[in-house]
Amino acid sequence: MMSVTDLNIQLASAIKQHMPPGFSVKALHEPCLRGNESRYVQECIDTNWVSSLGKFVDRFEEKLAEYTGARYAIATVNGTAALHIAYQLAGVRADDEVLLPSVTFIATANAVRYCDAIPHFVDTGVNHPNVCPQKLKDYLNDIAEIKSGVCYNKKTGRVIRALCVVHILGHPADLDEIKNICEHYHLTMIEDASEALGSFYKGTHVGHAGLMGTLSFNGNKIVTTGGGGALLTNDPDIASRAKHLTTTGKVPRHREMVYDCVAYNYRLPNINAAMGCAQLETLPNFLAKKRELLRCYQAAVVEIDHVELLVEPDNTHSNYWLHALVLDRDDRDDVLAALHQEGIDAWPIWQLIHTLPMYQHCPQMNLNNSEQWMSRLIRLPSGVSF
Ligand SMILES: *Cc1c(COP(=O)(O)O)cnc(C)c1O
């Protein structure tokens, strides 16, 4: 019988054998800037339109709305800023609670704290590392009560204002089910679709099933603007308030500087939007490459026991932003070591947020499934420069 270590080395070499020509396993994800990026950025430099206004910002917002099917897209300086504004516009106030998964990037929780509100962690499913509707329903049935149209946590006495659902690694969460639960409990649903540009749930692009959703264009995302983000919404009032809040609260008045609220400088500069416009042109190509990588990784793991690839849930079409191995036993660190030994830049998922010092005292449901995913998932190199 083969030892565990041999098995893991076999996995690592199978992966190397099956990857497409020109693919690098040496980085988890790198930007791919081979379209009109330099042309559009050069145009900003040549015309001096490098800062907070310019035609590329408008064009980028239009293209994002067109592609995602959201009525409005508001570009922001990064995805975290978009989340901050989304929570604020969802009415999240000091001492409110916001439900969110522990399996996510830290920004989903940090932006709750920017509103002086309290993250409240909910568990993922057994079969997929996204929020589990059934477990959420049972939990709220237990701890939530509605008084005058507002949801309260019976245990803490605080208002539960919103739920942020994350489409983890690009895979859409079960939006219909989660939206129903949010409606039943009077919670505003926000989608953190930072990782999910190009992902569809039942044929509709994610990010605007609830009141708002957010995107990120950080350097490691499927589309990058260097740094950037966007807020998506179908609600005209939310859209204009989001624009206002992200652009310092300036009231448009000719040659007068008038501001009407404490707002933020969260605008995406034109030079970044220029890159974004070029990146969006190549998104269909990126998505095709992600699918090609899926087939290669699948061909590699099919030969190996105890590992599978994380695949898109039923009724969804994922962008497969980051491919991931799912292990059926507890040897994550051995597998990682074997992959690293073969020069494959594989990573575990983020440390669960509810275990971090600044969040460990936050309310939470039983997070068994999240704990399981933490020790079973490995993220694999998923760049599209090949
Ligand atoms: C990338 C990401 C964000 C936002 O990140 P920024 O770097 O601020 O653009 C938020 N949530 C998740 C889940 C992410 O992956």
Side-chain angles (χ1 to χ4, degrees):
M1 204 183 120
M2 215 183 271
S3 77
V4 172
T5 312
D6 286 346
L7 201 67
N8 290 339
I9 290 182
Q10 198 190 19
L11 169 67
S13 59
I15 286 176
K16 283 182 84 173
Q17 264 170 37
H18 282 91
M19 297 326 283
F23 178 77
S24 170
V25 292
K26 292 199 178 70
L28 188 70
H29 203 284
E30 285 177 319
C32 179
L33 309 166
R34 296 175 180 173
N36 283 319
E37 287 81 1
S38 54
R39 223 185 90 206
Y40 295 168
V41 170
Q42 190 63 49
E43 192 180 321
C44 297
I45 295 168
D46 292 344
T47 58
N48 248 351
W49 285 94
V50 293
S51 191
S52 46
L53 290 173
K55 72 170 192 191
F56 285 114
V57 177
D58 299 336
R59 196 201 290 181
F60 189 49
E61 291 181 335
E62 277 161 28
K63 293 281 170 200
L64 280 174
E66 189 184 302
Y67 180 77
T68 59
R71 276 180 76 187
Y72 307 95
I74 293 91
T76 58
V77 72
N78 55 50
T80 310
L83 276 169
H84 181 194
I85 297 300
Y87 289 138
Q88 193 158 325
L89 290 177
V92 174
R93 297 290 173 263
D95 288 328
D96 286 353
E97 293 179 10
V98 175
L99 303 171
L100 76 163
S102 182
V103 180
T104 179
F105 177 59
I106 189 83
T108 323
N110 282 347
V112 173
R113 293 295 300 135
Y114 301 165
C115 302
D116 292 319
I118 296 153
H120 183 158
F121 298 104
V122 301
D123 205 12
T124 59
V126 178
N127 297 321
H128 210 280
N130 275 325
V131 169
C132 173
Q134 192 55 51
K135 215 168 160 177
L136 177 67
K137 201 188 283 178
D138 293 345
Y139 181 64
L140 287 175
N141 191 29
D142 210 28
I143 66 133
E145 70 181 336
I146 309 291
K147 285 188 281 186
S148 332
V150 178
C151 183
Y152 287 85
N153 181 338
K154 284 192 277 190
K155 294 197 174 138
T156 63
R158 291 187 291 244
V159 172
I160 309 177
R161 190 74 65 185
L163 176 141
C164 185
V165 55
V166 183
H167 304 297
I168 211 71
L169 305 179
H171 300 299
D174 194 345
L175 285 173
D176 280 354
E177 289 291 322
I178 292 167
K179 194 176 170 184
N180 277 339
I181 297 167
C182 286
E183 277 166 8
H184 182 80
Y185 284 97
H186 300 256
L187 303 171
T188 300
M189 186 173 89
I190 295 163
E191 288 170 70
D192 182 345
S194 296
E195 304 177 357
L197 182 67
S199 296
F200 294 78
Y201 175 81
K202 296 187 177 169
T204 303
H205 196 284
V206 298
H208 54 95
L211 187 60
M212 287 167 278
T214 64
L215 298 171
S216 166
F217 310 109
N218 189 34
N220 61 352
K221 296 300 198 298
I222 190 163
V223 154
T224 185
T225 57
L231 186 146
L232 302 178
T233 185
N234 293 324
D235 183 306
D237 180 51
I238 290 284
S240 71
R241 286 162 70 200
K243 193 71 183 170
H244 193 60
L245 271 182
T246 53
T247 55
T248 66
K250 187 173 181 299
V251 183
R253 219 183 272 176
H254 189 59
R255 289 193 186 282
E256 265 188 88
M257 304 304 281
V258 181
Y259 304 85
D260 67 359
C261 62
V262 178
Y264 304 90
N265 181 9
Y266 279 174
R267 286 175 289 217
L268 183 71
N270 198 46
I271 197 162
N272 299 85
M275 246 177 93
C277 289
Q279 287 269 287
L280 283 182
E281 292 168 0
T282 30
L283 177 58
N285 177 254
F286 294 166
L287 292 167
K289 292 279 169 87
K290 298 285 190 191
R291 290 267 154 187
E292 191 179 340
L293 286 179
L294 173 69
R295 289 190 293 274
C296 297
Y297 277 125
Q298 268 171 334
V301 304
V302 84
E303 302 168 3
I304 316 286
D305 293 337
H306 305 293
V307 287
E308 281 174 24
L309 275 184
L310 188 68
V311 292
E312 59 201 354
D314 291 346
N315 298 317
T316 72
H317 192 81
S318 174
N319 68 358
Y320 282 99
W321 169 55
L322 287 183
H323 291 285
L325 291 174
V326 184
L327 311 176
D328 77 350
R329 60 175 181 212
D330 223 354
D331 62 346
R332 185 196 73 183
D333 293 344
D334 291 337
V335 177
L336 278 169
L339 294 170
H340 294 162
Q341 206 177 316
E342 288 292 309
I344 300 170
D345 191 29
W347 291 78
I349 57 166
W350 313 270
Q351 199 69 43
L352 297 173
I353 297 184
H354 75 281
T355 65
L356 302 175
M358 57 288 193
Y359 291 116
Q360 64 188 351
H361 303 295
C362 292
Q364 53 181 257
M365 69 160 79
N366 164 302
L367 297 168
N368 281 351
N369 298 338
S370 303
E371 306 273 359
Q372 282 287 318
W373 285 110
M374 182 67 212
S375 57
R376 289 175 59 210
L377 275 180
I378 290 180
R379 297 181 293 163
L380 295 168
S382 305
V384 293
S385 304
F386 61 91

